[in-house]
Amino acid sequence: MKFGHTIDDSRKKHPEITDKLLEILQKWAKERGLPKIAEEQLALFAHSCYFDVEATKRCMDVYYRMRATVPEFFNDRDPSLDYLQHSLKALEFVMLPKSDRNGNRIIFHRLADTRPSQYVFNDGVKLLLMSIDANLYTDGCSPGYIFLFDMNGVRLGHLTRLSINSLRRFFEYLQEGMPVRLKAIYVLNAVWFMDKVLALIKPFMKREVYEMVNLFLFLHRYDHDQFQ
């Protein structure tokens, strides 16, 4: 993957990205049999972990392990494939062009087709992670990321399309391996069975991530100033 930013761009914003730090991380990766990692990618890992070396190593370990062992999320990442075209018609993903007041990037997700039969959780996760990767490769280190989910049209039938194992893997990657600073999760138009949704996902979420979840019953009640 070709980066749309350079390591010099990252260094200008974050002087903590030193030659010594990059050398430590590159050496660690080599010792574990990983191919040479682009410095821009190493910078993303380090930045996401607030430049804590040991935390960065753990993040890298989860990132590369899961990408090698979870094909349902990380193989065949070609949006022109028929099965992904199906999910691109059923789901909508967009990185909002404007960051919030703190510079956090906002990724918005909702159903385009509300029929549960058209929802494929693994493919939706794959497209979500592809969208995040595309932005990371383009913009580099961002102050943080905010997930904005609109549950309008979500039905109980969608819960039957979920896999416990896939949920566990998704939250492991989200919390341990994704090289971003996750700042908040906003859920718009929260459904009447939201308690069932939360009961399903809470066992897989760290306390600090669970506490990032903000629920809003109706779109018009949302404080739009958060994104100005």
Coordinates of all heavy atoms in Angstrom, one line a residue, residues 115-199:
R115 N -33.4 -4.5 5.2 CA -33.8 -5.9 5.3 C -32.7 -6.8 5.9 O -31.5 -6.8 5.4 CB -34.1 -6.5 3.9 CG -35.3 -5.9 3.2 CD -35.4 -6.4 1.8 NE -34.3 -6.0 1.0 CZ -34.1 -6.4 -0.3 NH1 -34.9 -7.3 -0.8 NH2 -33.1 -6.0 -1.0
P116 N -33.0 -7.4 7.0 CA -31.9 -8.2 7.7 C -31.3 -9.3 6.8 O -30.1 -9.6 6.9 CB -32.7 -8.9 8.8 CG -33.8 -8.0 9.2 CD -34.2 -7.4 7.8
S117 N -32.1 -9.8 5.8 CA -31.5 -10.8 4.9 C -30.4 -10.3 4.1 O -29.6 -11.1 3.6 CB -32.6 -11.3 4.0 OG -33.1 -10.3 3.2
Q118 N -30.2 -9.0 3.9 CA -29.2 -8.4 3.1 C -27.9 -8.0 3.9 O -26.9 -7.6 3.4 CB -29.7 -7.1 2.4 CG -30.9 -7.4 1.5 CD -30.7 -8.5 0.5 OE1 -29.8 -8.3 -0.3 NE2 -31.4 -9.6 0.6
Y119 N -28.0 -8.2 5.2 CA -26.9 -7.8 6.1 C -26.0 -9.0 6.4 O -26.4 -10.1 6.8 CB -27.5 -7.3 7.5 CG -26.5 -6.9 8.4 CD1 -25.6 -5.8 8.2 CD2 -26.3 -7.5 9.7 CE1 -24.7 -5.3 9.1 CE2 -25.3 -7.1 10.6 CZ -24.5 -6.0 10.3 OH -23.6 -5.6 11.2
V120 N -24.7 -8.7 6.1 CA -23.6 -9.7 6.3 C -22.6 -9.1 7.2 O -21.8 -8.2 6.8 CB -23.0 -10.2 5.0 CG1 -21.9 -11.3 5.3 CG2 -24.0 -10.7 4.1
F121 N -22.6 -9.5 8.5 CA -21.8 -8.8 9.5 C -20.3 -8.8 9.1 O -19.6 -7.8 9.2 CB -22.0 -9.4 10.9 CG -21.1 -8.8 11.9 CD1 -21.4 -7.6 12.5 CD2 -20.0 -9.5 12.4 CE1 -20.6 -7.0 13.4 CE2 -19.2 -8.9 13.4 CZ -19.5 -7.7 13.9
N122 N -19.7 -10.0 8.8 CA -18.3 -10.0 8.5 C -17.9 -9.1 7.3 O -16.9 -8.5 7.4 CB -17.9 -11.5 8.1 CG -17.9 -12.4 9.4 OD1 -17.9 -11.9 10.5 ND2 -17.8 -13.7 9.2
D123 N -18.7 -9.1 6.3 CA -18.4 -8.2 5.2 C -18.5 -6.7 5.6 O -17.8 -5.9 5.1 CB -19.4 -8.5 4.0 CG -19.2 -10.0 3.5 OD1 -18.2 -10.6 3.9 OD2 -20.0 -10.4 2.7
G124 N -19.5 -6.4 6.4 CA -19.6 -5.1 6.9 C -18.4 -4.6 7.7 O -17.9 -3.5 7.5
V125 N -17.9 -5.5 8.5 CA -16.7 -5.2 9.3 C -15.5 -5.0 8.3 O -14.7 -4.1 8.5 CB -16.4 -6.4 10.3 CG1 -15.0 -6.2 10.9 CG2 -17.4 -6.4 11.4
K126 N -15.4 -5.9 7.4 CA -14.3 -5.8 6.4 C -14.3 -4.4 5.7 O -13.3 -3.8 5.6 CB -14.4 -6.9 5.3 CG -13.3 -6.9 4.3 CD -13.5 -8.0 3.3 CE -13.2 -9.4 3.9 NZ -13.1 -10.5 2.9
L127 N -15.5 -4.0 5.3 CA -15.6 -2.7 4.6 C -15.3 -1.5 5.5 O -14.7 -0.6 5.2 CB -17.0 -2.6 4.0 CG -17.3 -3.4 2.8 CD1 -18.8 -3.4 2.5 CD2 -16.5 -3.0 1.6
L128 N -15.7 -1.7 6.8 CA -15.4 -0.6 7.8 C -13.9 -0.5 8.0 O -13.4 0.6 8.0 CB -16.1 -1.0 9.1 CG -15.8 -0.1 10.3 CD1 -16.3 1.4 10.0 CD2 -16.4 -0.6 11.6
L129 N -13.3 -1.6 8.1 CA -11.8 -1.6 8.4 C -11.1 -1.1 7.1 O -10.0 -0.5 7.2 CB -11.3 -3.0 8.8 CG -11.9 -3.5 10.1 CD1 -11.3 -4.9 10.5 CD2 -11.8 -2.5 11.3
M130 N -11.6 -1.5 6.0 CA -11.0 -1.0 4.7 C -11.1 0.5 4.6 O -10.2 1.2 4.2 CB -11.7 -1.6 3.5 CG -11.3 -3.1 3.3 SD -12.3 -3.9 2.0 CE -11.8 -3.0 0.6
S131 N -12.2 1.1 5.1 CA -12.5 2.5 5.0 C -11.5 3.2 6.0 O -10.9 4.3 5.6 CB -13.9 2.8 5.5 OG -14.8 2.3 4.6
I132 N -11.3 2.6 7.2 CA -10.4 3.2 8.1 C -8.9 3.2 7.6 O -8.2 4.2 7.7 CB -10.5 2.5 9.5 CG1 -11.9 2.8 10.1 CG2 -9.4 3.0 10.4 CD1 -12.2 1.9 11.3
D133 N -8.5 2.0 7.0 CA -7.2 1.9 6.5 C -7.0 2.9 5.4 O -5.9 3.5 5.3 CB -7.0 0.5 5.9 CG -6.7 -0.6 7.0 OD1 -6.5 -0.2 8.1 OD2 -6.8 -1.8 6.7
A134 N -7.9 3.1 4.5 CA -7.8 4.1 3.4 C -7.5 5.4 3.9 O -6.7 6.2 3.4 CB -9.0 4.0 2.5
N135 N -8.2 5.8 5.0 CA -8.0 7.2 5.6 C -6.6 7.3 6.3 O -5.9 8.3 6.2 CB -9.1 7.5 6.6 CG -9.1 8.9 7.0 OD1 -9.4 9.8 6.3 ND2 -8.6 9.2 8.2
L136 N -6.2 6.2 7.0 CA -4.9 6.2 7.6 C -3.8 6.4 6.6 O -2.8 7.1 6.8 CB -4.7 4.9 8.4 CG -5.5 4.8 9.7 CD1 -5.4 3.4 10.3 CD2 -5.0 5.8 10.7
Y137 N -3.9 5.6 5.5 CA -2.9 5.7 4.5 C -2.8 7.1 3.8 O -1.8 7.5 3.3 CB -3.1 4.6 3.4 CG -2.7 3.2 3.9 CD1 -3.6 2.2 3.8 CD2 -1.5 3.0 4.4 CE1 -3.3 0.9 4.3 CE2 -1.1 1.7 4.9 CZ -2.0 0.7 4.8 OH -1.7 -0.6 5.3
T138 N -4.0 7.7 3.8 CA -4.1 9.1 3.1 C -3.6 10.2 4.1 O -2.8 11.0 3.7 CB -5.5 9.3 2.7 OG1 -5.9 8.3 1.7 CG2 -5.6 10.7 2.0
D139 N -4.2 10.2 5.3 CA -4.0 11.3 6.2 C -2.9 11.1 7.3 O -2.4 12.0 7.9 CB -5.3 11.6 6.9 CG -6.3 12.2 6.0 OD1 -6.0 12.4 4.8 OD2 -7.5 12.3 6.4
G140 N -2.5 9.8 7.5 CA -1.5 9.6 8.5 C -2.1 9.7 10.0 O -3.3 9.5 10.2
C141 N -1.2 10.2 10.9 CA -1.6 10.3 12.3 C -2.7 11.4 12.5 O -2.4 12.5 12.1 CB -0.4 10.6 13.2 SG 0.9 9.3 13.0
S142 N -3.8 11.0 13.0 CA -4.9 12.0 13.4 C -5.0 12.0 14.9 O -4.8 11.0 15.6 CB -6.2 11.5 12.7 OG -6.1 11.5 11.3
P143 N -5.5 13.2 15.4 CA -5.7 13.3 16.8 C -6.5 12.1 17.4 O -6.3 11.6 18.5 CB -6.4 14.6 17.0 CG -5.9 15.4 15.8 CD -5.8 14.4 14.7
G144 N -7.5 11.7 16.7 CA -8.4 10.6 17.1 C -9.4 10.3 16.1 O -9.6 10.9 15.1
Y145 N -10.2 9.2 16.4 CA -11.3 8.8 15.5 C -12.6 8.7 16.4 O -12.5 8.2 17.5 CB -11.0 7.4 14.9 CG -10.2 7.5 13.6 CD1 -8.8 7.9 13.7 CD2 -10.7 7.2 12.4 CE1 -8.1 8.0 12.5 CE2 -10.0 7.3 11.2 CZ -8.7 7.7 11.3 OH -7.9 7.8 10.1
I146 N -13.6 9.1 15.7 CA -15.0 9.0 16.3 C -15.8 8.1 15.4 O -15.9 8.3 14.2 CB -15.6 10.3 16.5 CG1 -14.9 11.1 17.6 CG2 -17.1 10.2 16.9 CD1 -15.4 12.6 17.7
F147 N -16.5 7.1 15.9 CA -17.4 6.3 15.2 C -18.8 6.8 15.4 O -19.2 7.0 16.5 CB -17.4 4.8 15.6 CG -16.1 4.1 15.2 CD1 -15.9 2.8 15.6 CD2 -15.2 4.7 14.4 CE1 -14.7 2.1 15.2 CE2 -14.0 4.0 14.0 CZ -13.8 2.7 14.4
L148 N -19.5 7.0 14.3 CA -20.9 7.6 14.3 C -21.8 6.6 13.6 O -21.7 6.4 12.4 CB -20.9 8.9 13.6 CG -22.2 9.7 13.6 CD1 -22.7 10.0 15.0 CD2 -22.0 11.0 12.8
F149 N -22.6 5.8 14.4 CA -23.4 4.8 13.8 C -24.9 5.3 13.9 O -25.4 5.7 15.0 CB -23.3 3.5 14.6 CG -22.0 2.9 14.5 CD1 -21.2 2.7 15.6 CD2 -21.5 2.4 13.3 CE1 -19.9 2.1 15.6 CE2 -20.2 1.8 13.2 CZ -19.4 1.7 14.3
D150 N -25.6 5.2 12.8 CA -27.0 5.5 12.7 C -27.8 4.2 12.7 O -27.6 3.4 11.7 CB -27.3 6.3 11.5 CG -28.8 6.8 11.4 OD1 -29.6 6.4 12.3 OD2 -29.1 7.5 10.5
M151 N -28.6 3.9 13.7 CA -29.3 2.6 13.8 C -30.7 2.7 13.2 O -31.5 1.7 13.3 CB -29.4 2.2 15.3 CG -28.1 1.8 15.9 SD -28.3 1.0 17.5 CE -28.8 -0.7 16.9
N152 N -31.0 3.7 12.4 CA -32.3 3.8 11.8 C -32.5 2.6 10.9 O -31.6 2.3 10.0 CB -32.4 5.1 11.0 CG -33.7 5.3 10.4 OD1 -34.8 5.1 11.0 ND2 -33.8 5.7 9.1
G153 N -33.6 1.9 11.0 CA -33.8 0.7 10.2 C -33.3 -0.6 10.7 O -33.6 -1.7 10.2
V154 N -32.5 -0.6 11.8 CA -32.0 -1.8 12.4 C -33.2 -2.5 13.1 O -34.0 -1.9 13.9 CB -30.9 -1.5 13.4 CG1 -30.5 -2.8 14.2 CG2 -29.7 -0.9 12.7
R155 N -33.3 -3.8 12.9 CA -34.4 -4.6 13.4 C -33.8 -5.8 14.3 O -32.6 -6.1 14.2 CB -35.3 -5.2 12.3 CG -35.7 -4.1 11.3 CD -36.4 -4.8 10.1 NE -36.7 -3.8 9.1 CZ -37.2 -4.2 7.9 NH1 -37.5 -5.4 7.6 NH2 -37.5 -3.3 7.0
L156 N -34.7 -6.4 15.0 CA -34.2 -7.6 15.8 C -33.6 -8.6 14.9 O -32.7 -9.4 15.3 CB -35.4 -8.1 16.6 CG -35.7 -7.6 18.0 CD1 -37.0 -8.1 18.5 CD2 -34.5 -7.9 18.9
G157 N -34.1 -8.7 13.7 CA -33.6 -9.7 12.8 C -32.2 -9.5 12.4 O -31.5 -10.5 12.1
H158 N -31.7 -8.3 12.6 CA -30.2 -8.1 12.3 C -29.4 -8.8 13.4 O -28.2 -9.2 13.1 CB -29.9 -6.6 12.3 CG -30.4 -5.9 11.0 ND1 -31.6 -5.2 11.0 CD2 -29.9 -5.8 9.8 CE1 -31.8 -4.7 9.8 NE2 -30.8 -5.1 9.0
L159 N -29.9 -8.9 14.6 CA -29.1 -9.5 15.7 C -28.9 -11.0 15.4 O -27.9 -11.6 15.7 CB -29.8 -9.4 17.0 CG -30.0 -8.0 17.6 CD1 -30.5 -8.0 19.0 CD2 -28.7 -7.2 17.5
T160 N -29.8 -11.6 14.7 CA -29.7 -13.0 14.4 C -28.6 -13.3 13.3 O -28.2 -14.4 13.1 CB -31.0 -13.6 13.9 OG1 -31.4 -13.0 12.6 CG2 -32.1 -13.3 14.9
R161 N -28.2 -12.2 12.7 CA -27.2 -12.3 11.6 C -25.7 -12.1 12.2 O -24.8 -12.2 11.5 CB -27.4 -11.2 10.6 CG -28.8 -11.1 10.0 CD -29.0 -12.2 9.0 NE -28.2 -11.9 7.8 CZ -28.2 -12.8 6.7 NH1 -28.8 -13.9 6.8 NH2 -27.4 -12.5 5.7
L162 N -25.7 -11.9 13.5 CA -24.4 -11.7 14.2 C -23.8 -13.1 14.6 O -24.5 -14.0 14.9 CB -24.5 -10.8 15.4 CG -25.1 -9.4 15.1 CD1 -25.2 -8.6 16.4 CD2 -24.2 -8.7 14.1
S163 N -22.5 -13.1 14.6 CA -21.7 -14.3 15.1 C -20.9 -13.8 16.3 O -20.2 -12.8 16.3 CB -20.7 -14.7 14.0 OG -19.7 -15.5 14.6
I164 N -21.1 -14.6 17.4 CA -20.4 -14.3 18.6 C -18.9 -14.3 18.4 O -18.2 -13.4 18.9 CB -20.8 -15.3 19.8 CG1 -22.2 -15.1 20.1 CG2 -19.9 -15.1 21.0 CD1 -22.6 -13.8 20.6
N165 N -18.4 -15.3 17.7 CA -17.0 -15.3 17.4 C -16.5 -14.1 16.6 O -15.4 -13.6 16.9 CB -16.6 -16.6 16.7 CG -15.1 -16.9 16.7 OD1 -14.5 -16.8 17.7 ND2 -14.6 -17.3 15.6
S166 N -17.3 -13.7 15.6 CA -16.9 -12.5 14.8 C -16.9 -11.2 15.7 O -16.1 -10.4 15.5 CB -17.8 -12.4 13.6 OG -17.6 -13.4 12.7
L167 N -17.9 -11.1 16.6 CA -18.0 -10.0 17.5 C -16.7 -9.9 18.3 O -16.1 -8.8 18.5 CB -19.2 -10.1 18.3 CG -20.6 -9.6 17.7 CD1 -21.7 -10.0 18.7 CD2 -20.6 -8.1 17.4
R168 N -16.4 -11.1 18.9 CA -15.2 -11.1 19.8 C -13.9 -10.7 19.0 O -13.1 -9.9 19.5 CB -15.0 -12.5 20.3 CG -13.7 -12.7 21.1 CD -13.6 -14.1 21.6 NE -13.4 -15.0 20.5 CZ -12.3 -15.2 19.8 NH1 -11.2 -14.5 20.1 NH2 -12.3 -16.1 18.8
R169 N -13.8 -11.2 17.8 CA -12.6 -10.8 17.0 C -12.6 -9.3 16.6 O -11.6 -8.7 16.6 CB -12.5 -11.7 15.7 CG -12.2 -13.1 16.1 CD -12.2 -14.0 14.8 NE -11.6 -15.3 15.1 CZ -11.5 -16.3 14.2 NH1 -12.0 -16.1 13.0 NH2 -10.9 -17.4 14.5
F170 N -13.8 -8.8 16.2 CA -13.9 -7.4 15.9 C -13.5 -6.5 17.0 O -12.7 -5.6 16.8 CB -15.3 -7.1 15.4 CG -15.6 -5.6 15.3 CD1 -14.9 -4.9 14.3 CD2 -16.5 -4.9 16.1 CE1 -15.1 -3.5 14.1 CE2 -16.7 -3.6 16.0 CZ -16.0 -2.9 15.0
F171 N -14.0 -6.8 18.2 CA -13.7 -5.9 19.3 C -12.2 -6.1 19.8 O -11.6 -5.1 20.3 CB -14.6 -6.1 20.5 CG -15.9 -5.4 20.3 CD1 -17.1 -6.1 20.0 CD2 -16.0 -4.0 20.3 CE1 -18.3 -5.5 19.8 CE2 -17.2 -3.4 20.1 CZ -18.4 -4.1 19.8
E172 N -11.7 -7.3 19.6 CA -10.2 -7.5 19.9 C -9.4 -6.6 19.0 O -8.5 -5.9 19.4 CB -9.8 -8.9 19.7 CG -8.3 -9.1 20.0 CD -7.9 -10.6 19.8 OE1 -8.7 -11.4 19.4 OE2 -6.7 -10.9 20.1
Y173 N -9.7 -6.6 17.7 CA -8.9 -5.8 16.8 C -9.2 -4.3 17.0 O -8.2 -3.5 17.0 CB -9.3 -6.1 15.3 CG -8.5 -5.3 14.3 CD1 -7.2 -5.7 14.0 CD2 -9.0 -4.2 13.7 CE1 -6.4 -5.0 13.1 CE2 -8.3 -3.5 12.8 CZ -7.0 -3.9 12.5 OH -6.2 -3.1 11.6
L174 N -10.4 -3.9 17.2 CA -10.8 -2.5 17.5 C -10.0 -1.9 18.7 O -9.5 -0.8 18.6 CB -12.3 -2.4 17.7 CG -12.8 -1.0 18.1 CD1 -12.8 -0.1 16.9 CD2 -14.2 -1.1 18.6
Q175 N -9.9 -2.7 19.7 CA -9.3 -2.2 21.0 C -7.8 -2.5 21.1 O -7.2 -1.8 21.8 CB -10.1 -2.9 22.2 CG -11.5 -2.6 22.2 CD -12.3 -3.4 23.2 OE1 -12.9 -2.9 24.2 NE2 -12.3 -4.7 23.0
E176 N -7.3 -3.5 20.5 CA -6.0 -3.9 20.7 C -5.1 -3.8 19.5 O -3.8 -3.6 19.6 CB -5.9 -5.4 21.1 CG -6.7 -5.7 22.4 CD -6.1 -5.1 23.6 OE1 -5.0 -4.7 23.6 OE2 -6.9 -5.1 24.7
G177 N -5.6 -3.8 18.3 CA -4.8 -3.9 17.1 C -4.9 -2.7 16.1 O -4.1 -2.5 15.2
M178 N -6.0 -2.0 16.2 CA -6.2 -0.9 15.2 C -5.4 0.3 15.5 O -5.5 0.8 16.6 CB -7.7 -0.6 15.1 CG -8.1 0.3 13.9 SD -9.9 0.4 13.7 CE -10.4 1.2 15.2
P179 N -4.5 0.8 14.6 CA -3.6 1.8 15.0 C -4.2 3.2 14.9 O -3.8 4.1 14.1 CB -2.5 1.7 13.9 CG -3.2 1.1 12.7 CD -4.3 0.2 13.3
V180 N -5.2 3.4 15.7 CA -5.9 4.7 15.8 C -6.1 5.0 17.3 O -6.2 4.1 18.2 CB -7.2 4.8 15.1 CG1 -7.0 4.5 13.6 CG2 -8.3 3.9 15.7
R181 N -6.3 6.3 17.6 CA -6.7 6.7 18.9 C -8.3 6.9 18.9 O -8.8 7.8 18.4 CB -6.1 8.0 19.3 CG -4.6 8.0 19.5 CD -4.0 9.3 19.9 NE -2.6 9.3 20.0 CZ -1.8 10.3 20.4 NH1 -2.4 11.5 20.6 NH2 -0.5 10.2 20.5
L182 N -8.9 5.9 19.5 CA -10.4 5.9 19.5 C -10.9 6.8 20.6 O -10.5 6.7 21.7 CB -10.9 4.5 19.7 CG -12.5 4.3 19.7 CD1 -13.0 4.7 18.3 CD2 -12.8 2.9 20.0
K183 N -11.7 7.8 20.2 CA -12.1 8.8 21.1 C -13.6 8.7 21.6 O -13.9 9.0 22.8 CB -12.0 10.2 20.5 CG -10.5 10.6 20.2 CD -9.7 10.7 21.4 CE -8.3 11.3 21.1 NZ -7.5 11.5 22.3
A184 N -14.5 8.2 20.7 CA -15.9 8.1 21.1 C -16.6 7.3 20.1 O -16.2 7.1 19.0 CB -16.5 9.5 21.2
I185 N -17.7 6.7 20.6 CA -18.7 6.0 19.7 C -20.0 6.6 20.0 O -20.6 6.5 21.1 CB -18.7 4.5 20.1 CG1 -17.3 3.9 19.9 CG2 -19.7 3.7 19.2 CD1 -17.1 2.5 20.4
Y186 N -20.6 7.2 18.9 CA -22.0 7.7 19.0 C -22.9 6.9 18.3 O -22.7 6.5 17.1 CB -22.0 9.2 18.5 CG -21.2 10.2 19.3 CD1 -19.9 10.6 19.0 CD2 -21.8 10.7 20.4 CE1 -19.2 11.5 19.7 CE2 -21.1 11.6 21.2 CZ -19.8 12.0 20.9 OH -19.2 12.9 21.6
V187 N -24.1 6.6 18.9 CA -25.1 5.8 18.3 C -26.4 6.6 18.2 O -27.0 7.0 19.2 CB -25.4 4.5 19.1 CG1 -26.5 3.7 18.4 CG2 -24.2 3.7 19.3
L188 N -26.8 6.9 16.9 CA -27.9 7.7 16.7 C -29.2 6.8 16.5 O -29.0 5.7 16.0 CB -27.7 8.6 15.4 CG -26.5 9.5 15.4 CD1 -26.5 10.3 14.1 CD2 -26.4 10.4 16.6
N189 N -30.3 7.3 16.8 CA -31.6 6.6 16.6 C -31.5 5.2 17.3 O -31.8 4.2 16.6 CB -31.9 6.5 15.1 CG -32.1 7.8 14.4 OD1 -32.9 8.6 14.9 ND2 -31.4 8.1 13.4
A190 N -31.0 5.2 18.5 CA -30.9 4.0 19.2 C -32.3 3.2 19.3 O -33.3 3.8 19.5 CB -30.4 4.2 20.7
V191 N -32.2 1.9 19.0 CA -33.5 1.1 18.9 C -34.0 0.8 20.3 O -33.3 0.8 21.3 CB -33.2 -0.1 18.1 CG1 -32.9 0.2 16.6 CG2 -32.0 -0.9 18.6
W192 N -35.3 0.4 20.3 CA -35.9 0.0 21.6 C -35.3 -1.2 22.2 O -35.4 -1.4 23.4 CB -37.4 -0.2 21.3 CG -37.8 -1.4 20.4 CD1 -37.9 -1.3 19.1 CD2 -37.9 -2.7 20.8 NE1 -38.2 -2.6 18.6 CE2 -38.2 -3.5 19.6 CE3 -37.9 -3.4 22.0 CZ2 -38.4 -4.8 19.7 CZ3 -38.1 -4.8 22.0 CH2 -38.4 -5.5 20.9
F193 N -34.6 -2.0 21.4 CA -34.0 -3.2 22.0 C -32.5 -3.0 22.2 O -31.7 -4.0 22.2 CB -34.3 -4.5 21.1 CG -33.9 -4.3 19.7 CD1 -32.6 -4.6 19.2 CD2 -34.8 -3.8 18.8 CE1 -32.3 -4.4 17.9 CE2 -34.5 -3.7 17.4 CZ -33.2 -4.0 17.0
M194 N -32.1 -1.8 22.4 CA -30.7 -1.4 22.6 C -30.1 -2.2 23.8 O -28.9 -2.5 23.8 CB -30.5 0.1 22.8 CG -29.1 0.6 22.6 SD -28.6 0.4 20.8 CE -26.8 0.3 21.0
D195 N -30.9 -2.5 24.8 CA -30.3 -3.2 25.9 C -29.9 -4.6 25.5 O -28.8 -5.1 26.1 CB -31.4 -3.3 27.0 CG -32.7 -4.0 26.6 OD1 -33.0 -3.9 25.4 OD2 -33.3 -4.7 27.4
K196 N -30.5 -5.2 24.6 CA -30.1 -6.5 24.1 C -28.8 -6.4 23.3 O -27.9 -7.2 23.4 CB -31.2 -7.1 23.2 CG -32.5 -7.5 24.0 CD -33.5 -8.1 23.1 CE -34.7 -8.6 23.9 NZ -35.4 -7.5 24.7
V197 N -28.7 -5.3 22.5 CA -27.5 -5.1 21.7 C -26.3 -4.9 22.7 O -25.2 -5.5 22.5 CB -27.6 -3.8 20.8 CG1 -26.3 -3.6 20.1 CG2 -28.8 -4.0 19.8
L198 N -26.5 -4.1 23.7 CA -25.4 -3.8 24.7 C -25.0 -5.1 25.4 O -23.9 -5.3 25.7 CB -25.8 -2.7 25.6 CG -25.9 -1.3 24.9 CD1 -26.4 -0.3 26.0 CD2 -24.6 -0.8 24.3
A199 N -26.0 -5.8 25.8 CA -25.8 -7.1 26.5 C -24.9 -8.0 25.7 O -24.1 -8.8 26.2 CB -27.1 -7.7 27.0

